[in-house]
Amino acid sequence: MSTRDLVLSALFAAIIVALGLLPPIMLGFIPVPITAQSMGVMLAGVILGAKRGTIAVLLVLLLAAIGLPVLSGGRGGLAVFAAPTTGFLIGWVFAAFVTGYLSERFVKNSQGAMLQTAGFFAAAVAGGVVVLYAFGISYLAVVSGLGLTKAFVGSMAFIPGDLVKAAVAALAGRAVMVGYPLLPARA
């Protein structure tokens, strides 16, 4: 891994942390807050690709595990890995990887703007919504005792916001691809 890859991964880890500074929104009927950090995970995958995006997310989780308040609401420490939302944190790793992997496969420099944006959006939805929810909902159902159906139905309230986050990530991915053409040469 090159110095450039490490710097980009650290930069996106910082972006994910910075997005955690936005206050979380609790819906009340499910113990999972709406945060902007999941958009940071999508951005890392879309812009950096599978390898570097995953490293960025792992870095954020490592910082959280050692006690730094890098998660939404200033949370950090090992206790965050014993909460009902732990499945979403674990899912971040796989979401960034899948988003990045699919971005690398779906989006090419030779494509038109609309096709690139659509590819980034599809990758962000598949990784940042479908994969993330698979981990988060499964863990939430088991740990909280809600059952898979209740956890799934309760989580559907987050879908519209996550689709907006995926659209923002897709637009950002396209803008970076145009403005900094070396970045899509993913590791």
Side-chain angles (χ1 to χ4, degrees), residues 29-31 137-138 140-142 144-158:
F29 57 88
I30 192 162
I137 291 171
S138 300
L140 179 64
V142 171
S144 67
L146 285 175
L148 197 55
T149 303
K150 283 186 180 180
F152 178 80
V153 170
S155 295
M156 290 303 101
F158 298 96

Side-chain angles (χ1 to χ4, degrees), residues 18-168:
L19 288 170
L21 295 174
L22 300 173
I25 301 166
M26 295 299 290
L27 294 182
F29 57 88
I30 192 162
V32 180
I34 296 174
T35 70
Q37 283 187 306
S38 59
M39 183 174 63
V41 172
M42 292 180 206
L43 285 168
V46 161
I47 294 173
L48 296 182
K51 181 179 176 184
R52 294 182 292 191
T54 302
I55 289 170
V57 170
L58 286 170
L59 183 55
V60 172
L61 295 178
L62 176 66
L63 294 172
I66 63 173
L68 296 177
V70 296
L71 298 177
S72 176
R75 296 174 303 131
L78 291 176
V80 299
F81 296 101
T85 58
T86 301
F88 289 95
L89 296 178
I90 294 166
W92 278 6
V93 177
F94 299 95
F97 180 82
V98 170
T99 300
Y101 181 83
L102 294 177
S103 292
E104 292 167 2
R105 301 304 178 272
F106 290 168
V107 181
K108 305 293 180 214
N109 284 330
S110 60
Q111 295 172 327
M114 290 299 289
L115 197 54
Q116 288 176 342
T117 304
F120 282 136
F121 181 74
V125 169
V129 179
V130 175
V131 170
L132 183 61
Y133 277 45
F135 280 89
I137 291 171
S138 300
Y139 190 88
L140 179 64
V142 171
V143 171
S144 67
L146 285 175
L148 197 55
T149 303
K150 283 186 180 180
F152 178 80
V153 170
S155 295
M156 290 303 101
F158 298 96
I159 293 289
D162 284 339
L163 291 176
V164 170
K165 294 175 196 176
V168 170

